[in-house]
Amino acid sequence: MTKSYQVIIVGGGPVGVGLAVDLGRRGITCAVIERRTELSGIPKGQGLAQRTLEHFYFWGIADEIRAARAMPPGYPIGQVTVYDNLMGEYWHAPPGRELVQSYYFQANERLPQYRTEEVLRRRMAQLPEVDSYIGWTATDIEQHADGVHVTMERGSERRHLAGDYVAGCDGGHSLVREQADIQRSGTDWGELVALAVFRSPELHAALERFPDRSTYRVLHPELEGYWMFFGRVDVGEEFFFHAPVPRGTDTSDFDVTGLLHRAAGFPFDFELEHVGFWDLRVQVAQRYRAGRVFIAGDAAHTHPPYGGFGLNNGLEDAVNLSWKLAAVIEGWGGDQLLDSYSLERQAIFRDVGEDIIGGWIRDDREFLQRYRPDRDPEEFARNFEEVTKGFGKRLRNFEPHYEGSPVVVGPPDGVISAHGHHALDARPGHHLTPQVLSSGENVFERLGLGFTLLAFDAQDADVHAFHDAARASGVPLDIVRDSFADGRASYAARLVLVRPDQFVVWTGDTAPEEPESVLRKVTGRS
């Protein structure tokens, strides 16, 4: 017997489960197929951005995520950059994500991905709309005019599922992407990088020379801008470590001890738990949609673990796709809305991979080639301080937006880009900045599952015009009324239309001549 769902999700990692949670809370039935029966113990995907914690807030798990961190409560999240090795003379600990905190409703967090997955899986299990098939492997994906069919296997057992749509969240070697014939392209830096997970109280003691931080980046002049990188898993003994290995290295007989001691600048005792290798490259799918098939997360884009962009972007894929699928399934969204998922998200990650991560490597390489402390110590120290601020500078300019999206009433010359600037005013295509309402609530606490119209001292006729247009077209719309005063005036508009993923799609001081046309555009029915 074939069981039917509205959405079938292949891949039950954090992106796939996140998509299921967001769909489930919208009342959309879905199945999650995941071959792993146990979570990986490798502490990857630790840096969770403020935006990701906003998703977790709406999913009802933000507090549980924070309680699951491996570091002590309140332990600082941030980076130290050191020249040559961890005992080097030159180092700085510049600010990072705290530079943009005022533009988000939630603070960032840090914990191993396996702990994040545990919380996500528990939340998924609470949703009656979601069925999980743990230990099953998807083997075939077929789509036709009216839906999709997915074949899955567990041992000698085979089952078939039917659905309206399928979402591939099945990693870099995605079966869904392959069978949908979606190609990838990108940049290969030709570097093999080692990943080691180990325990060492001795290294922890040595790091007491620095202010408390969670990661330590070593810039070595011989590594051409690539990093040696230590990250805390807990505070006291467990670490992970990334570093490029010499070309031609025999990975079966790899001297991990030598590499660790070189990066640390001194020999130390450690207990090795894991060694692996990965290729330093960026790959982005040329499209994220093929008919009724979608891809998200690592199935759509992969890159080096620089800056914590991977998991955060994957979860943003899930949230962007979820409300659009729900809108079309429920009948108030058009097919152009589904097309916009690929247009919006593919452009963002293209910029992340090629410009932000690639640019970071190129900037560090240029610095290392140009400056050395044995040539001019003062000039080196001055420029080293600036290069250590690179992550903070990139975060200030990392402001993903959809100004040029076909489902946003944005500026005529707008583009979709990861590059921008954070601002308090409400701008079409940009993430809504949180503000406190006169009731004491934050505006984010009033945003619902559908669209929200923020009305600040707006005329009744303008508010009613939007209300009536939404009711006539079946678009779910909540209205939040308040005074145009205090921080709310910084939105620079009395009327702000916010879509279900907290991005602004239209602003004005009065209603447009045809609110119906605005709603048709932002729901992909124009």
Side-chain angles (χ1 to χ4, degrees):
M1 179 179 176
T2 299
K3 193 165 184 179
S4 296
Y5 298 89
Q6 290 168 307
V7 179
I8 301 171
I9 300 167
V10 179
V15 175
V17 174
L19 176 58
V21 168
D22 205 62
L23 286 168
R25 76 189 189 100
R26 298 178 187 280
I28 303 300
T29 62
C30 50
V32 177
I33 304 171
E34 170 55 46
R35 61 180 176 78
R36 298 175 303 160
T37 56
E38 297 182 358
L39 298 176
S40 169
I42 299 174
K44 58 183 179 179
Q46 293 199 87
L48 301 177
Q50 291 101 329
R51 174 63 178 152
T52 294
L53 267 293
E54 289 182 351
H55 303 325
F56 292 163
Y57 164 79
F58 286 108
W59 297 347
I61 59 172
D63 291 343
E64 192 174 351
I65 285 286
R66 296 193 192 282
R69 63 155 34 202
M71 300 191 305
Y75 193 87
I77 301 170
Q79 186 174 97
V80 175
T81 299
V82 194
Y83 181 74
D84 195 29
N85 60 64
L86 288 179
M87 298 295 104
E89 175 185 356
Y90 299 95
W91 63 268
H92 286 282
R97 293 194 183 275
E98 61 266 35
L99 291 169
V100 297
Q101 180 54 56
S102 61
Y103 302 102
Y104 295 93
F105 178 53
Q106 293 284 313
N108 61 311
E109 191 51 88
R110 182 176 180 83
L111 65 159
Q113 181 174 305
Y114 53 79
R115 292 198 175 190
T116 299
E117 289 192 70
E118 289 171 354
V119 176
L120 284 167
R121 285 193 174 191
R122 286 196 293 270
R123 179 68 180 104
M124 178 177 67
Q126 296 170 352
L127 296 166
E129 296 85 356
V130 182
D131 288 340
S132 58
Y133 295 87
I134 305 299
W136 290 82
T137 300
T139 58
D140 188 60
I141 315 293
E142 296 181 2
Q143 65 169 310
H144 48 84
D146 299 321
V148 298
H149 284 97
V150 176
T151 301
M152 61 180 184
E153 297 178 355
R154 183 178 63 182
S156 60
E157 191 177 0
R158 175 179 292 182
R159 291 189 189 179
H160 302 278
L161 302 180
D164 296 328
Y165 300 96
V166 64
C169 305
D170 48 341
H173 301 287
S174 170
L175 170 77
V176 176
R177 185 189 64 240
E178 178 184 333
Q179 295 201 352
D181 195 27
I182 298 175
Q183 303 301 311
R184 293 191 299 173
S185 61
T187 299
D188 190 336
W189 278 281
E191 293 287 333
L192 183 67
V193 182
L195 163 63
V197 182
F198 64 94
R199 294 181 180 274
S200 176
E202 186 177 352
L203 178 63
H204 167 70
L207 293 175
E208 291 178 355
R209 69 183 295 241
F210 303 121
D212 289 345
R213 292 294 186 272
S214 55
T215 56
Y216 305 83
R217 179 173 68 123
V218 176
L219 291 183
H220 193 284
E222 296 179 3
L223 295 184
E224 300 178 341
Y226 307 118
W227 309 344
M228 294 186 287
F229 188 87
F230 292 87
R232 293 187 182 275
V233 179
D234 58 18
V235 175
E237 61 176 3
E238 189 174 7
F239 296 86
F240 69 90
F241 173 75
H242 292 287
V245 300
R247 290 178 174 85
T249 293
D250 180 1
T251 57
S252 65
D253 187 28
F254 175 63
D255 181 16
V256 66
T257 300
L259 188 58
L260 283 167
H261 290 173
R262 176 193 182 195
F266 70 98
F268 62 91
D269 292 332
F270 64 92
E271 178 185 343
L272 188 65
E273 295 184 339
H274 172 82
V275 176
F277 300 90
W278 50 269
D279 294 310
L280 202 159
R281 63 166 66 104
V282 169
Q283 294 284 310
V284 185
Q286 294 177 359
R287 55 197 172 110
Y288 289 8
R289 180 191 185 188
R292 291 179 173 271
V293 176
F294 299 84
I295 54 175
D298 285 353
H301 45 75
T302 57
H303 69 82
Y306 283 18
F309 291 103
L311 176 56
N312 294 302
N313 272 285
L315 290 169
E316 192 70 39
D317 292 345
V319 170
N320 188 292
L321 177 60
S322 173
W323 77 267
K324 295 174 179 179
L325 285 170
V328 173
I329 290 170
E330 292 171 353
W332 53 270
D335 195 66
Q336 293 176 18
L337 194 61
L338 297 181
D339 282 340
S340 74
Y341 164 67
S342 184
L343 293 171
E344 291 180 352
R345 297 305 302 156
Q346 197 269 355
I348 297 299
F349 200 85
R350 180 192 60 222
D351 288 348
V352 169
E354 299 298 337
D355 298 345
I356 297 177
I357 296 174
W360 201 349
I361 293 171
R362 290 188 291 270
D363 287 351
D364 286 350
R365 177 181 298 160
E366 181 181 354
F367 165 79
L368 292 168
Q369 291 173 343
R370 186 171 180 178
Y371 303 103
R372 294 183 69 97
D374 55 354
R375 296 174 188 161
D376 187 331
E378 291 186 4
E379 182 185 44
F380 174 85
R382 185 171 58 253
N383 285 278
F384 180 69
E385 182 177 4
E386 286 303 308
V387 83
T388 64
K389 298 176 182 177
F391 184 47
K393 290 178 179 178
R394 280 168 172 78
L395 285 175
R396 286 186 182 276
N397 297 323
F398 178 65
E399 193 260 333
H401 62 84
Y402 311 131
E403 279 190 3
S405 171
V407 294
V408 169
V409 187
D413 58 347
V415 297
I416 301 170
S417 177
H419 303 296
H421 67 279
H422 292 85
L424 296 178
D425 55 318
R427 297 168 292 166
H430 295 255
H431 171 263
L432 180 72
T433 299
Q435 289 292 347
V436 177
L437 300 171
S438 57
S439 65
E441 296 174 288
N442 194 286
V443 68
F444 267 61
E445 297 177 86
R446 297 291 302 277
L447 300 178
L449 290 173
F451 280 79
T452 303
L453 179 67
L454 305 179
F456 303 118
D457 284 336
Q459 296 295 316
D460 288 345
D462 294 323
V463 176
H464 292 156
F466 265 108
H467 174 269
D468 294 344
R471 184 173 58 182
S473 58
V475 176
L477 178 70
D478 291 327
I479 296 174
V480 177
R481 304 194 71 159
D482 206 339
S483 60
F484 192 54
D486 303 321
R488 298 176 295 282
S490 64
Y491 283 141
R494 293 177 182 272
L495 293 168
V496 179
L497 186 61
V498 186
R499 71 188 201 181
D501 61 352
Q502 301 89 50
F503 276 77
V504 177
V505 290
W506 175 89
T507 63
D509 286 327
T510 59
E513 290 186 9
E514 296 184 356
E516 299 86 354
S517 65
V518 170
L519 291 177
R520 284 197 299 270
K521 181 178 179 64
V522 300
T523 56
R525 295 177 293 122
S526 59

PDB file of all heavy atoms in Angstrom, residues 91-106:
ATOM      1  N   TRP A  91      48.424  38.648  18.204  1.00  0.00           N
ATOM      2  CA  TRP A  91      47.076  38.087  18.239  1.00  0.00           C
ATOM      3  C   TRP A  91      46.075  39.188  18.572  1.00  0.00           C
ATOM      4  O   TRP A  91      46.418  40.209  19.160  1.00  0.00           O
ATOM      5  CB  TRP A  91      46.957  36.947  19.243  1.00  0.00           C
ATOM      6  CG  TRP A  91      47.189  37.336  20.684  1.00  0.00           C
ATOM      7  CD1 TRP A  91      48.374  37.304  21.368  1.00  0.00           C
ATOM      8  CD2 TRP A  91      46.216  37.814  21.615  1.00  0.00           C
ATOM      9  NE1 TRP A  91      48.195  37.733  22.663  1.00  0.00           N
ATOM     10  CE2 TRP A  91      46.879  38.061  22.843  1.00  0.00           C
ATOM     11  CE3 TRP A  91      44.833  38.054  21.531  1.00  0.00           C
ATOM     12  CZ2 TRP A  91      46.216  38.522  23.976  1.00  0.00           C
ATOM     13  CZ3 TRP A  91      44.174  38.526  22.663  1.00  0.00           C
ATOM     14  CH2 TRP A  91      44.857  38.754  23.858  1.00  0.00           C
ATOM     15  N   HIS A  92      44.834  38.952  18.159  1.00  0.00           N
ATOM     16  CA  HIS A  92      43.732  39.856  18.473  1.00  0.00           C
ATOM     17  C   HIS A  92      42.458  39.037  18.646  1.00  0.00           C
ATOM     18  O   HIS A  92      42.318  37.957  18.054  1.00  0.00           O
ATOM     19  CB  HIS A  92      43.522  40.904  17.378  1.00  0.00           C
ATOM     20  CG  HIS A  92      44.573  41.971  17.374  1.00  0.00           C
ATOM     21  ND1 HIS A  92      44.588  43.006  18.266  1.00  0.00           N
ATOM     22  CD2 HIS A  92      45.657  42.134  16.573  1.00  0.00           C
ATOM     23  CE1 HIS A  92      45.628  43.776  18.024  1.00  0.00           C
ATOM     24  NE2 HIS A  92      46.297  43.279  17.012  1.00  0.00           N
ATOM     25  N   ALA A  93      41.527  39.560  19.435  1.00  0.00           N
ATOM     26  CA  ALA A  93      40.219  38.937  19.648  1.00  0.00           C
ATOM     27  C   ALA A  93      39.143  39.976  19.363  1.00  0.00           C
ATOM     28  O   ALA A  93      38.510  40.501  20.275  1.00  0.00           O
ATOM     29  CB  ALA A  93      40.102  38.394  21.061  1.00  0.00           C
ATOM     30  N   PRO A  94      38.922  40.305  18.092  1.00  0.00           N
ATOM     31  CA  PRO A  94      37.975  41.364  17.737  1.00  0.00           C
ATOM     32  C   PRO A  94      36.528  40.901  17.887  1.00  0.00           C
ATOM     33  O   PRO A  94      36.249  39.695  17.974  1.00  0.00           O
ATOM     34  CB  PRO A  94      38.300  41.641  16.268  1.00  0.00           C
ATOM     35  CG  PRO A  94      38.799  40.329  15.757  1.00  0.00           C
ATOM     36  CD  PRO A  94      39.537  39.695  16.910  1.00  0.00           C
ATOM     37  N   PRO A  95      35.585  41.824  17.936  1.00  0.00           N
ATOM     38  CA  PRO A  95      34.166  41.434  18.022  1.00  0.00           C
ATOM     39  C   PRO A  95      33.710  40.721  16.755  1.00  0.00           C
ATOM     40  O   PRO A  95      34.278  40.915  15.676  1.00  0.00           O
ATOM     41  CB  PRO A  95      33.442  42.772  18.211  1.00  0.00           C
ATOM     42  CG  PRO A  95      34.385  43.796  17.672  1.00  0.00           C
ATOM     43  CD  PRO A  95      35.757  43.278  17.935  1.00  0.00           C
ATOM     44  N   GLY A  96      32.667  39.895  16.897  1.00  0.00           N
ATOM     45  CA  GLY A  96      32.126  39.132  15.775  1.00  0.00           C
ATOM     46  C   GLY A  96      30.641  39.386  15.602  1.00  0.00           C
ATOM     47  O   GLY A  96      30.214  40.498  15.307  1.00  0.00           O
ATOM     48  N   ARG A  97      29.835  38.344  15.845  1.00  0.00           N
ATOM     49  CA  ARG A  97      28.396  38.450  15.586  1.00  0.00           C
ATOM     50  C   ARG A  97      27.698  39.464  16.484  1.00  0.00           C
ATOM     51  O   ARG A  97      26.611  39.940  16.137  1.00  0.00           O
ATOM     52  CB  ARG A  97      27.733  37.072  15.727  1.00  0.00           C
ATOM     53  CG  ARG A  97      28.154  36.080  14.665  1.00  0.00           C
ATOM     54  CD  ARG A  97      27.248  34.867  14.618  1.00  0.00           C
ATOM     55  NE  ARG A  97      27.721  33.911  13.632  1.00  0.00           N
ATOM     56  CZ  ARG A  97      27.428  33.946  12.334  1.00  0.00           C
ATOM     57  NH1 ARG A  97      26.661  34.927  11.877  1.00  0.00           N
ATOM     58  NH2 ARG A  97      27.896  33.039  11.505  1.00  0.00           N
ATOM     59  N   GLU A  98      28.300  39.820  17.601  1.00  0.00           N
ATOM     60  CA  GLU A  98      27.667  40.822  18.454  1.00  0.00           C
ATOM     61  C   GLU A  98      27.560  42.183  17.769  1.00  0.00           C
ATOM     62  O   GLU A  98      26.759  43.038  18.177  1.00  0.00           O
ATOM     63  CB  GLU A  98      28.437  40.958  19.776  1.00  0.00           C
ATOM     64  CG  GLU A  98      29.873  41.408  19.651  1.00  0.00           C
ATOM     65  CD  GLU A  98      30.869  40.268  19.588  1.00  0.00           C
ATOM     66  OE1 GLU A  98      30.514  39.225  18.991  1.00  0.00           O
ATOM     67  OE2 GLU A  98      31.985  40.421  20.106  1.00  0.00           O
ATOM     68  N   LEU A  99      28.342  42.384  16.705  1.00  0.00           N
ATOM     69  CA  LEU A  99      28.284  43.650  15.976  1.00  0.00           C
ATOM     70  C   LEU A  99      26.915  43.889  15.334  1.00  0.00           C
ATOM     71  O   LEU A  99      26.535  45.032  15.098  1.00  0.00           O
ATOM     72  CB  LEU A  99      29.372  43.677  14.894  1.00  0.00           C
ATOM     73  CG  LEU A  99      30.823  43.750  15.382  1.00  0.00           C
ATOM     74  CD1 LEU A  99      31.778  43.498  14.228  1.00  0.00           C
ATOM     75  CD2 LEU A  99      31.104  45.096  16.025  1.00  0.00           C
ATOM     76  N   VAL A 100      26.176  42.814  15.040  1.00  0.00           N
ATOM     77  CA  VAL A 100      24.891  42.960  14.353  1.00  0.00           C
ATOM     78  C   VAL A 100      23.724  42.492  15.220  1.00  0.00           C
ATOM     79  O   VAL A 100      22.611  42.319  14.724  1.00  0.00           O
ATOM     80  CB  VAL A 100      24.895  42.202  13.002  1.00  0.00           C
ATOM     81  CG1 VAL A 100      25.927  42.792  12.057  1.00  0.00           C
ATOM     82  CG2 VAL A 100      25.166  40.712  13.206  1.00  0.00           C
ATOM     83  N   GLN A 101      23.955  42.325  16.519  1.00  0.00           N
ATOM     84  CA  GLN A 101      22.923  41.761  17.382  1.00  0.00           C
ATOM     85  C   GLN A 101      21.651  42.597  17.404  1.00  0.00           C
ATOM     86  O   GLN A 101      20.537  42.057  17.463  1.00  0.00           O
ATOM     87  CB  GLN A 101      23.461  41.603  18.807  1.00  0.00           C
ATOM     88  CG  GLN A 101      22.461  41.020  19.789  1.00  0.00           C
ATOM     89  CD  GLN A 101      21.870  39.711  19.322  1.00  0.00           C
ATOM     90  OE1 GLN A 101      22.595  38.759  19.041  1.00  0.00           O
ATOM     91  NE2 GLN A 101      20.542  39.640  19.206  1.00  0.00           N
ATOM     92  N   SER A 102      21.761  43.910  17.360  1.00  0.00           N
ATOM     93  CA  SER A 102      20.576  44.764  17.491  1.00  0.00           C
ATOM     94  C   SER A 102      19.599  44.611  16.334  1.00  0.00           C
ATOM     95  O   SER A 102      18.451  45.063  16.435  1.00  0.00           O
ATOM     96  CB  SER A 102      20.993  46.235  17.618  1.00  0.00           C
ATOM     97  OG  SER A 102      21.706  46.666  16.475  1.00  0.00           O
ATOM     98  N   TYR A 103      20.019  43.958  15.265  1.00  0.00           N
ATOM     99  CA  TYR A 103      19.154  43.801  14.100  1.00  0.00           C
ATOM    100  C   TYR A 103      18.384  42.475  14.116  1.00  0.00           C
ATOM    101  O   TYR A 103      17.669  42.170  13.156  1.00  0.00           O
ATOM    102  CB  TYR A 103      19.978  43.910  12.811  1.00  0.00           C
ATOM    103  CG  TYR A 103      20.714  45.229  12.714  1.00  0.00           C
ATOM    104  CD1 TYR A 103      22.079  45.310  12.988  1.00  0.00           C
ATOM    105  CD2 TYR A 103      20.034  46.398  12.382  1.00  0.00           C
ATOM    106  CE1 TYR A 103      22.757  46.520  12.915  1.00  0.00           C
ATOM    107  CE2 TYR A 103      20.705  47.615  12.311  1.00  0.00           C
ATOM    108  CZ  TYR A 103      22.056  47.663  12.585  1.00  0.00           C
ATOM    109  OH  TYR A 103      22.720  48.868  12.526  1.00  0.00           O
ATOM    110  N   TYR A 104      18.551  41.689  15.188  1.00  0.00           N
ATOM    111  CA  TYR A 104      17.897  40.386  15.272  1.00  0.00           C
ATOM    112  C   TYR A 104      17.184  40.230  16.607  1.00  0.00           C
ATOM    113  O   TYR A 104      17.576  40.818  17.615  1.00  0.00           O
ATOM    114  CB  TYR A 104      18.917  39.259  15.074  1.00  0.00           C
ATOM    115  CG  TYR A 104      19.514  39.251  13.689  1.00  0.00           C
ATOM    116  CD1 TYR A 104      20.705  39.930  13.426  1.00  0.00           C
ATOM    117  CD2 TYR A 104      18.868  38.613  12.638  1.00  0.00           C
ATOM    118  CE1 TYR A 104      21.241  39.946  12.139  1.00  0.00           C
ATOM    119  CE2 TYR A 104      19.398  38.623  11.362  1.00  0.00           C
ATOM    120  CZ  TYR A 104      20.584  39.297  11.118  1.00  0.00           C
ATOM    121  OH  TYR A 104      21.102  39.324   9.848  1.00  0.00           O
ATOM    122  N   PHE A 105      16.170  39.398  16.613  1.00  0.00           N
ATOM    123  CA  PHE A 105      15.344  39.184  17.787  1.00  0.00           C
ATOM    124  C   PHE A 105      15.988  38.227  18.782  1.00  0.00           C
ATOM    125  O   PHE A 105      15.667  38.247  19.965  1.00  0.00           O
ATOM    126  CB  PHE A 105      13.973  38.658  17.353  1.00  0.00           C
ATOM    127  CG  PHE A 105      13.036  38.352  18.479  1.00  0.00           C
ATOM    128  CD1 PHE A 105      12.747  39.295  19.460  1.00  0.00           C
ATOM    129  CD2 PHE A 105      12.423  37.109  18.571  1.00  0.00           C
ATOM    130  CE1 PHE A 105      11.886  39.008  20.505  1.00  0.00           C
ATOM    131  CE2 PHE A 105      11.550  36.815  19.604  1.00  0.00           C
ATOM    132  CZ  PHE A 105      11.284  37.769  20.578  1.00  0.00           C
ATOM    133  N   GLN A 106      16.891  37.362  18.294  1.00  0.00           N
ATOM    134  CA  GLN A 106      17.523  36.370  19.148  1.00  0.00           C
ATOM    135  C   GLN A 106      19.048  36.502  19.078  1.00  0.00           C
ATOM    136  O   GLN A 106      19.599  36.919  18.058  1.00  0.00           O
ATOM    137  CB  GLN A 106      17.127  34.951  18.717  1.00  0.00           C
ATOM    138  CG  GLN A 106      15.656  34.628  18.928  1.00  0.00           C
ATOM    139  CD  GLN A 106      15.320  34.361  20.369  1.00  0.00           C
ATOM    140  OE1 GLN A 106      16.010  33.614  21.066  1.00  0.00           O
ATOM    141  NE2 GLN A 106      14.243  34.975  20.852  1.00  0.00           N
TER     142      GLN A 106
END
